[in-house]
Amino acid sequence: MIAVQAKRCFDSSAHWFPALSFDFVLSNVRIGHESAVVDIAISDGRIAAIGPSLPHDGPCEDGQGLFAFGGFVESHIHLDKAMILDRCPICEGTLGEAIALTARAKAGFTEDDVHARASQVVEKAILNGTTRMRSFVEVDPRAGLRSLDALLRVARDYAWAIDIELCAFAQEGITNEPETALMLARALEKGANLVGGCPYTDPDPAAHVDAIFELARRFDVDVDFHADFDLDPENSILPKICAETIRHGYQGRVSVGHVTKLAAMTPEALRTAAGRLAEAGIAVTILPATDLFLTGRGHPRLAPRGVAPGSVLAEHGVLVSLASNNILNPFTPFGDCSLARIANLYANIAHLARDVDMEQVFSMVTANAALQLRAPHGVCVGASADIVLIDAPSASDAVRSIAPVVSGWKRGRKTFTRPRAELYRP
Ligand SMILES: [Zn+2]
């Protein structure tokens, strides 16, 4: 039995208390690992009480026994370059081609163009139960600050349903284009929340890492790198990033995305790398849709999966999340912003089977991702009433079946409904 939780006034049984006034009660839902259903009471945009059969006399919605959680958290997406397949003819499907095609397209982006495409993507994310996201936004001589200006507008436009933070990102190098560092600084002044780099596209990867940390320190913002995105186990940039993270006292404030080199390392080298990442408090974001599409080319048979081993990293104490990365562009010509689908994709290719594994994968698109963004998350008394109902009895079932989301609330206000599919029996 789940004890009633409330800020004050509750004894162990809610039934003996007179009906209480809440703004709204979401009844009959499952949360966490509990098998019994509970009610969630909401007042002033926050969760006021959780318990079985809460007494109440206000508006109520029946959660039909579905699983309720704090919403998916997209820890790594590129809203600025989403949905551009119409202007990027893919021939090779390689990382090099994706960067070149996108660089060409980016020069033609206008603020309204980015705003329109990003708005479509954000709406897909909301309708797939995402309540928080970190989007990269490329800032360089080709994009200028147009994409940033567009995404700042998008973040404001959709704040009623989703918290969006923006990472000013140097996709195309810094030492080769020094004006990019000045533009990143300008982006941080204009409202970007953190700074990101991509050492593997820079002629001097170590100096690139230094430049990003210099900006991070100057503006006191977090850091997110794209790193080690190939299947050569040698020449990893991780030792440099780990060392700089510790040197700057940035443990808990740095993320690395892709790190597919980890999939190619020997078990011993992988253990060493995982230990270093854990010691430096660096979070890893795995991007399975992109990593599967862009790596492992040139193998006429038995193509490698090329996806970092998240469970091994987690065993060593590394904070691991999963994310969409790209939606319908040369890096990932797929995508619907469903993190339930990404979780299922990852669990499948990682050979996972047990309920405990599925729960860990669910955390990678929810609680872990929120922790990486240093944001609150979860259905508990006192928390912001960010709640999503998914058509499954538990987190592990949601991952196994790519369960559809049914409805969601942000700060206690309902933001979407996707009615459950219905059969019309004769
Ligand atoms: Zn990315």
Side-chain angles (χ1 to χ4, degrees):
M1 177 67 77
I2 298 167
V4 170
Q5 305 170 47
K7 281 177 177 169
R8 59 177 186 272
C9 85
F10 276 105
D11 203 342
S12 58
S13 170
H15 298 281
W16 295 2
F17 285 82
L20 297 177
S21 278
F22 300 114
D23 292 347
F24 163 67
V25 170
L26 175 59
S27 68
N28 191 25
V29 298
R30 295 173 204 281
I31 59 172
H33 293 92
E34 304 292 342
S35 54
V37 296
V38 295
D39 298 346
I40 301 172
I42 295 158
S43 285
D44 297 327
R46 306 198 83 82
I47 297 174
I50 299 174
S53 305
L54 287 181
H56 60 89
D57 54 12
C60 180
E61 178 166 330
D62 182 2
Q64 303 176 79
L66 302 181
F67 186 69
F69 66 108
F72 291 113
V73 178
E74 181 76 80
S75 58
H76 182 134
I77 195 168
H78 296 260
L79 292 175
D80 54 342
K81 58 187 179 189
M83 303 182 74
I84 54 170
L85 283 177
D86 56 340
R87 49 192 112 167
C88 295
I90 301 171
C91 297
E92 302 166 4
T94 59
L95 176 59
E97 182 190 58
I99 291 173
L101 286 173
T102 306
R104 258 204 307 280
K106 180 167 53 173
F109 288 178
T110 66
E111 183 180 326
D112 285 344
D113 166 42
V114 174
H115 183 274
R117 288 184 286 99
S119 295
Q120 286 185 60
V121 175
V122 168
E123 288 180 20
K124 284 176 194 280
I126 295 166
L127 288 168
N128 278 299
T130 299
T131 52
R132 182 178 293 280
M133 74 167 44
R134 170 181 289 177
S135 175
F136 291 82
V137 53
E138 293 177 24
V139 173
D140 59 37
R142 283 158 292 278
L145 296 170
R146 301 186 302 280
S147 295
L148 173 76
D149 289 337
L151 295 192
L152 286 169
R153 275 170 56 202
V154 170
R156 282 195 299 273
D157 291 350
Y158 290 95
W160 52 272
I162 185 168
D163 294 302
I164 300 176
E165 65 175 39
L166 299 176
C167 179
F169 177 49
Q171 167 76 75
E172 325 252 358
I174 294 176
T175 66
N176 49 322
E177 290 182 339
E179 61 268 50
T180 295
L182 301 173
M183 298 176 74
L184 290 169
R186 183 75 191 110
L188 291 163
E189 287 165 1
K190 288 190 81 168
N193 306 89
L194 69 160
V195 66
C198 189
Y200 59 77
T201 59
D202 198 299
D204 189 340
H208 185 103
V209 171
D210 290 338
I212 293 295
F213 270 105
E214 193 278 322
L215 282 161
R217 290 293 300 271
R218 192 180 350 148
F219 289 89
D220 190 21
V221 293
D222 292 359
V223 173
D224 201 330
F225 287 108
H226 288 55
D228 279 5
F229 194 12
D230 59 49
L231 298 186
D232 172 5
E234 303 301 324
N235 303 312
S236 169
I237 194 71
L238 292 183
K240 167 72 177 174
I241 294 175
C242 291
E244 293 304 318
T245 299
I246 292 171
R247 188 166 78 83
H248 291 291
Y250 253 54
Q251 296 93 327
R253 301 187 67 179
V254 177
S255 304
V256 289
H258 297 296
V259 286
T260 51
K261 277 183 187 288
L262 295 174
M265 289 181 183
T266 63
E268 189 183 356
L270 174 61
R271 275 196 299 276
T272 302
R276 278 196 179 123
L277 288 165
E279 182 197 8
I282 294 175
V284 166
T285 311
I286 298 172
L287 307 157
T290 307
D291 299 344
L292 283 165
F293 178 69
L294 289 180
T295 69
R297 299 271 165 180
H299 293 261
R301 62 193 183 95
L302 299 177
R305 299 178 185 211
V307 175
S311 299
V312 178
L313 296 173
E315 276 169 26
H316 285 79
V318 180
L319 181 65
V320 178
S321 70
L322 298 168
S324 298
N325 194 32
N326 283 293
I327 305 294
L328 302 172
N329 73 8
F331 295 84
T332 319
F334 311 102
D336 55 1
C337 294
S338 164
L339 284 169
R341 186 180 63 79
I342 292 291
N344 175 281
L345 172 66
Y346 175 74
N348 200 158
I349 60 164
H351 290 139
L352 303 179
R354 302 172 302 169
D355 278 353
V356 66
D357 298 323
M358 299 303 144
E359 286 164 9
Q360 184 181 52
V361 169
F362 191 78
S363 293
M364 292 178 185
V365 287
T366 54
N368 284 17
L371 194 55
Q372 180 182 348
L373 272 52
R374 299 203 289 154
H377 185 272
V379 176
C380 56
V381 173
S384 176
D386 296 2
I387 302 169
V388 169
L389 286 183
I390 193 162
D391 198 352
S394 68
S396 58
D397 282 292
V399 173
R400 291 185 195 282
S401 63
I402 320 181
V405 297
V406 173
S407 49
W409 291 260
K410 186 71 174 174
R411 292 180 286 276
R413 180 184 172 275
K414 197 166 195 178
T415 52
F416 74 90
T417 302
R418 298 182 81 146
R420 299 170 81 182
E422 271 186 76
L423 288 174
Y424 296 103
R425 298 182 190 280

